[in-house]
Amino acid sequence: MLATTQPTMGRQVAALEASLGVKLFTRSIDGLSPTEAGLRLIPSAEAMAAAAETAWRSTSGKADEARGTVRITASEMIGGEVLPLLLTGFHSLYPQISVELVLSNRNEDLLRGDADIAVRMVRPSQAALLAKRIGNIDAGLYAHQHYLKEHPMSLRPATTCIDRI
């Protein structure tokens, strides 16, 4: 929530558009939609918001306090099987941080604020994101012997189907 009125926000957006010399939104009876210029502005605006939050924390004496809410998105398998044990240890170290775990087999868009942290099995395609390998998970493929008799397959995995981060 921005804690401002719609007319005030409208004036601020109009002033920003005038200052930049570009339209950031197209207006219709359905509301506002970002233009290409507006979409290109998102990473910079998010970086400015993060810098403002950092400045507020450092001047308010809250810089050393680890508190707030962090939204983590992960696949259903990782979020159900791997993260709970890790998050239990995290919570004991940082009890003032509330973790929202969003389980989805879709890759949520971090740049749009769908989550703060994503645990993914693939490298993100968005250049503005920082990617770090946090571990390896062994996976196995299993089939019933009757299925394999009817659908023979190689016992060697196809290395081209695994994208290493």
Side-chain angles (χ1 to χ4, degrees):
M1 195 73 178
L2 296 175
T4 188
T5 64
Q6 186 276 329
T8 300
M9 186 58 62
R11 283 191 301 275
Q12 291 174 344
V13 168
L16 181 59
E17 287 177 332
S19 169
L20 295 173
V22 295
K23 286 287 185 196
L24 299 175
F25 297 95
T26 55
R27 291 152 180 85
S28 71
I29 49 178
D30 295 327
L32 299 175
S33 298
T35 62
E36 284 296 317
L39 292 172
R40 285 193 308 270
L41 189 62
I42 290 173
S44 298
E46 288 173 341
M48 288 170 44
E53 173 69 19
T54 300
W56 177 83
R57 291 177 112 199
S58 65
T59 58
S60 69
K62 304 218 182 261
D64 296 332
E65 294 181 20
R67 62 175 57 241
T69 300
V70 176
R71 178 177 285 172
I72 301 174
T73 182
S75 69
E76 292 174 9
M77 191 274 297
I78 296 296
E81 300 293 328
V82 177
L83 291 181
L85 182 60
L86 297 174
L87 293 176
T88 300
F90 178 85
H91 181 68
S92 64
L93 290 172
Y94 304 100
Q96 299 297 328
I97 296 179
S98 174
V99 175
E100 291 179 5
L101 190 55
V102 179
L103 302 184
S104 173
N105 290 330
R106 288 185 22 220
N107 282 341
E108 301 295 338
D109 189 345
L110 295 181
L111 296 180
R112 272 198 253 169
D114 293 343
D116 301 305
I117 298 171
V119 179
R120 296 181 174 163
M121 304 303 279
V122 296
R123 180 175 289 283
S125 59
Q126 299 153 311
L129 298 178
L130 174 65
K132 181 176 174 83
R133 179 185 291 273
I134 59 172
N136 294 313
I137 294 179
D138 292 328
L141 300 174
Y142 304 91
H144 193 278
Q145 59 187 348
H146 297 300
Y147 178 86
L148 293 175
K149 283 181 185 175
E150 292 182 25
H151 304 90
M153 58 182 59
S154 171
L155 296 177
R156 287 183 284 164
T159 57
T160 58
C161 70
I162 299 173
D163 181 20
R164 300 207 61 145
I165 297 178

